[in-house]
Every structure is written in structure tokens, then in C-alpha cells.
Amino acid sequence: CEQAIQPRCMKPPSDEKANEGGYFFSNFLHRMTKINWKTILFVFILLFFTGSCGTVIYFVVNWIEYLLFKYQYNSTTLQIHTSLDYGLLNNYLVSQTLARAVGIHCPRVESWPNCSVPMNAYYKVVNPLLKIGLLRDMGTVPLLYPPHNVQGFEAYAYKFIADTKYYPPKTGVSKFGKGIFAKYPNGTSYHDKTGKTKFSPFQILTPVFEIIDIGSLSAVMYNLHSEINRAKTIDIVINAWLRGEYNRSAVTPLIQLVQDPTNRPASLMVYPVAPPTNLTALVGFIRIVQNWDTVLSQAIPSKAKGIDFVISDSVKQYTFTINGERTVALKGAGDVHDKSYDNYRRTYSAFQNMGYSSYSVVYYPNSDYFPAILVIGPIVGCAVIMVLILLVAFLVGAYYFIVNRQLQQKQEALDSKRSFVRFI
């Protein structure tokens, strides 16, 4: 009997340890073969529930991120445009201030157009105004009615230029020589003595005279009224003046400045000048030069980036973009923003319909504006929820498996004892 049961009941310790892993694995395979349809259904429901929760969390987090982003974007564009409007209003007040100062220096109508402010005094007045308005240049533009007093003004202007150390030699001198000049469509300069145009009822000359921007010296003696956009802007001021609106300024549409060799959209603001002894007499204009890249760069916050600006005057359009810290560059002529961000469009008016054209500024974000968290956040939220659900399910399953194994081992031990007792 002992020899009969010894091979079954008594094994060397080394053999028991060697077969322990194999026993567990074979036991695991045995249990896997006994998996019924309820277990499969449970696993399927668990995976479906996990995927559903992850999807819901993804869309919820994505929606929250979208609302927060849109609120931040709208606040940023509103802040930029508020600053832009404030800057444009400053330009109007600055032009009004210089017009008053020039009028006080030349208080009599008879002294015009042969009137100028000494450059030392002019610089002291204009330079602070340029800093306040963040402008490129400001200049005086006398009003002449040809042929009356044209030759007299030209002689006076070139004597003033020659006597002023500020202006370099040959300032205001064109290829044809000295004189008020205009330009043909091909860019060739000619001596404009009459002020006749096909696009204005006023036969006048409005030469650029006193300026302080060295880069704008090529515009000295240029007849602003010889170019259609500038002429229509000046005509707006003249017509308003005839109606008794003595403080009306006007803004040109988007133009290319004579002194800029490359494409750099700009606008001119024109404000009337009247001597204090006769406030109903229009004797000239104040010309303000503002390039839009400079205007926009001063309006944006220091940390803003990834926003495109589409400037429109109802005729032309130009697109600018923020390159870095308070740096704005021309992106191209026309509306060249990324069309995939049209749903973020924000439109504001500029100049409050003041001037020849109705300006508008449209804001769009681009890919540089979107932080990575907008893409990563929902994915991370989805992944975290799914991992947590699967981890909890795994822990519960592992606990169930361990407890069930211990119970089964006890049951197997009890069955072995019963079998052994029966055998005895």
C-alpha cells in the first residue's frame, strides 16, 4: 500500500517547486477555457463604458477649452482695438494742436501762403506731438490758388529751405528743377503750376512744406491734391469747411507714400488751418503720416502673438500679422488670412467713419495663437479617465481572482483530504 501511494502522495521538494509554476499556468489555462458568455459580455460592457466615458470627457474638456480660448481671444482683440481707437483719436487731437500752433504763429490771412514756423521752434512743437501720437511725420501744407501767388510761394519756399540747416541741399528739387511738382502715372515728376485735375472741382495747389522726418524729404513740394486719393480727402475737408464745419478732418484711403520705395500701406490725415484773426478763412492743412504697421504694433499687448489684421478702406485690403513682441509685418495685399479660422472673425470700425473711406479692421487668429493645451488637454483628460477606469477594473478583477483562487485551493485541499480518507 505504501509503495502504491508513495508516487502519488510523496514527491521530492525540488520537484514540487519545479512544478509549481507549471501547475499555476495550467490551472490558469484551465480557468480561461471555462470562461462563459457572461464573462465576455462583462468585458465588452467594461470596454464600451470606458470608451464612452473617455469620449464624453474628451468633448467636455474640449468644449471648456474652446470657451476659455474664445473668451481670451475676444478680450485680446477688444483690448487691441480699444488701444487702436485711442491712438487714432490721439492723432486727431495732435493734428488739431499743431494747426492751432501754426495759426497762432501766422495770425493774419495776408501772410499766407508765404508763412512758416522757424525750424527750431517747429521741431520743439512737433517732436513731442509725434511721440504722443506715435506718428511718423507731421507737416504743414499751405493752400494756393493758381496762378495767383504760385511763383511767389515757390521763391519763398526755396529761400526758406536754403536758409534752414535742417534741410539738406536739393531738398524739393525734382529732375525738371525747382518748383511744386506732381507725378504722372509712370512716376515721372513734372512742374505743376495750375493744379488742374480731372477728379476734383477745386483747382488748387497743396504742396508739402515743413516736415521733420528725414525719410520724408522727398515729399517736400509735392502737390498732395494731384493724386486722386489725397485730393478727395482734401476736398472732404474743403466741402466741410464751406458748410461751416471748421474742425472736420479727413483720412485718405490706404495709399503708398511717395517717400516709401517698398510696399508699406499708410494713411494721411488732413486737418484744416485757420489764422486766429479770421477763423473762417481756410489757409492750409496739417498733414499727418501714419504707417499701419507702426500703428498696429503700438496697439498690441507686449505678449500678443498669432493674430492677423485685415485693414480695409472699402476699396483696398491689406493683411498684417504679429511676428513677435509688439512687431507687426505686412503679410500681403488683400485678405490673405487663414480661412480655416473664419469662425473667429472679429470686426471693428476705425476712425468712426471719419474721412473719405470707411475703414474697418478684421481680426483673425492663426496657428501661432493656439496653445498646445487646446489639443493636448482633451486628449490627456480622455486618457486619464480611461486609464483610471481600467485600473479600477483591473484591481477589482485581480482581487476577485486572488480570493477565488484561495477559496478554490482550500476546496481542493479539502477534496484531497476526503479522497485520502476514503482511500484509507
Side-chain angles (χ1 to χ4, degrees):
C1 180
E2 291 181 1
Q3 292 180 354
I5 65 171
Q6 184 176 359
R8 265 178 42 184
C9 302
M10 300 182 63
K11 297 180 181 179
S14 58
D15 293 340
E16 291 181 358
K17 292 183 179 179
N19 294 329
E20 183 177 357
Y23 170 77
F24 176 79
F25 182 72
S26 62
N27 190 34
F28 174 77
L29 292 177
H30 178 69
R31 292 178 183 279
M32 291 296 294
T33 57
K34 292 185 177 181
I35 294 178
N36 53 22
W37 65 271
K38 293 183 179 180
T39 305
I40 297 175
L41 180 62
F42 172 78
V43 172
F44 176 78
I45 293 175
L46 175 64
L47 294 176
F48 177 78
F49 177 75
T50 303
S52 300
C53 290
T55 303
V56 171
I57 293 299
Y58 174 84
F59 284 106
V60 169
V61 174
N62 189 57
W63 181 68
I64 294 174
E65 291 280 2
Y66 169 78
L67 292 180
L68 293 176
F69 163 79
K70 194 168 185 179
Y71 174 78
Q72 180 185 8
Y73 170 72
N74 292 341
S75 299
T76 301
T77 55
L78 180 60
Q79 178 184 357
I80 292 174
H81 200 77
T82 301
S83 179
L84 179 63
D85 268 349
Y86 180 76
L88 296 177
L89 177 60
N90 266 351
N91 295 346
Y92 171 82
L93 298 176
V94 161
S95 63
Q96 187 181 63
T97 301
L98 183 59
R100 299 288 188 269
V102 173
I104 291 173
H105 184 79
C106 303
R108 300 181 62 83
V109 177
E110 296 79 11
S111 60
W112 289 83
N114 301 341
C115 183
S116 59
V117 180
M119 285 305 297
N120 290 336
Y122 187 78
Y123 183 85
K124 291 180 180 178
V125 173
V126 173
N127 194 47
L129 295 178
L130 290 177
K131 294 180 179 178
I132 293 173
L134 302 173
L135 300 170
R136 176 174 175 177
D137 189 29
M138 299 178 66
T140 57
V141 180
L143 177 59
L144 286 74
Y145 299 92
H148 176 66
N149 63 21
V150 174
Q151 292 183 349
F153 171 76
E154 289 180 340
Y156 172 82
Y158 283 105
K159 183 178 185 305
F160 174 81
I161 292 173
D163 294 341
T164 302
K165 296 180 180 180
Y166 178 80
Y167 292 112
K170 296 186 178 181
T171 296
V173 179
S174 303
K175 291 183 179 180
F176 62 82
K178 295 181 178 180
I180 300 172
F181 72 94
K183 289 191 174 185
Y184 291 114
N186 62 3
T188 304
S189 300
Y190 66 93
H191 193 184
D192 193 350
K193 299 179 181 179
T194 63
K196 291 183 179 179
T197 63
K198 297 180 180 180
F199 41 77
S200 173
F202 302 107
Q203 186 178 342
I204 58 176
L205 291 171
T206 54
V208 178
F209 189 26
E210 288 190 84
I211 62 173
I212 67 171
D213 178 34
I214 299 297
S216 301
L217 290 176
S218 60
V220 174
M221 300 300 289
Y222 172 66
N223 179 23
L224 293 180
H225 201 259
S226 65
E227 193 271 327
I228 183 171
N229 293 317
R230 295 167 174 82
K232 288 185 176 182
T233 303
I234 292 173
D235 289 353
I236 287 175
V237 177
I238 294 176
N239 288 323
W241 190 274
L242 296 177
R243 296 193 302 268
E245 301 176 21
Y246 301 130
N247 291 318
R248 174 68 185 273
S249 66
V251 181
T252 66
L254 294 166
I255 60 173
Q256 176 69 22
L257 298 177
V258 176
Q259 57 269 33
D260 283 340
T262 58
N263 190 14
R264 194 182 178 196
S267 299
L268 298 183
M269 180 181 289
V270 179
Y271 190 89
V273 177
T277 56
N278 188 352
L279 295 178
T280 61
L282 180 62
V283 296
F285 306 94
I286 297 298
R287 153 191 164 273
I288 284 183
V289 181
Q290 52 189 13
N291 290 98
W292 278 99
D293 52 359
T294 303
V295 173
L296 292 172
S297 63
Q298 298 299 328
I300 61 176
S302 58
K303 295 183 179 180
K305 65 176 182 178
I307 296 178
D308 292 340
F309 310 86
V310 180
I311 309 295
S312 174
D313 62 2
S314 73
V315 178
K316 295 180 181 179
Q317 287 181 321
Y318 289 93
T319 303
F320 296 83
T321 188
I322 303 177
N323 280 340
E325 292 188 1
R326 309 200 76 173
T327 303
V328 175
L330 179 65
K331 198 170 184 178
D335 186 351
V336 294
H337 79 279
D338 191 341
K339 303 300 182 182
S340 60
Y341 299 108
D342 282 351
N343 56 326
Y344 295 100
R345 174 189 177 102
R346 300 285 292 176
T347 304
Y348 299 93
S349 61
F351 296 111
Q352 301 298 320
N353 295 324
M354 176 184 61
Y356 162 65
S357 296
S358 179
Y359 273 83
S360 66
V361 184
V362 185
Y363 300 85
Y364 298 96
N366 55 46
S367 57
D368 293 335
Y369 187 84
F370 287 83
I373 189 64
L374 287 179
V375 179
I376 298 175
I379 296 176
V380 171
C382 173
V384 168
I385 292 299
M386 293 180 68
V387 169
L388 288 177
I389 293 176
L390 292 176
L391 180 61
V392 172
F394 173 77
L395 293 177
V396 172
Y399 174 77
Y400 170 79
F401 177 78
I402 293 173
V403 172
N404 189 42
R405 181 188 174 191
Q406 290 178 351
L407 292 175
Q408 188 171 4
Q409 287 177 347
K410 292 179 179 180
Q411 184 65 37
E412 289 177 353
L414 181 60
D415 291 342
S416 298
K417 290 179 180 180
R418 289 177 178 174
S419 299
F420 181 76
V421 171
R422 290 174 183 174
F423 180 79
I424 294 297

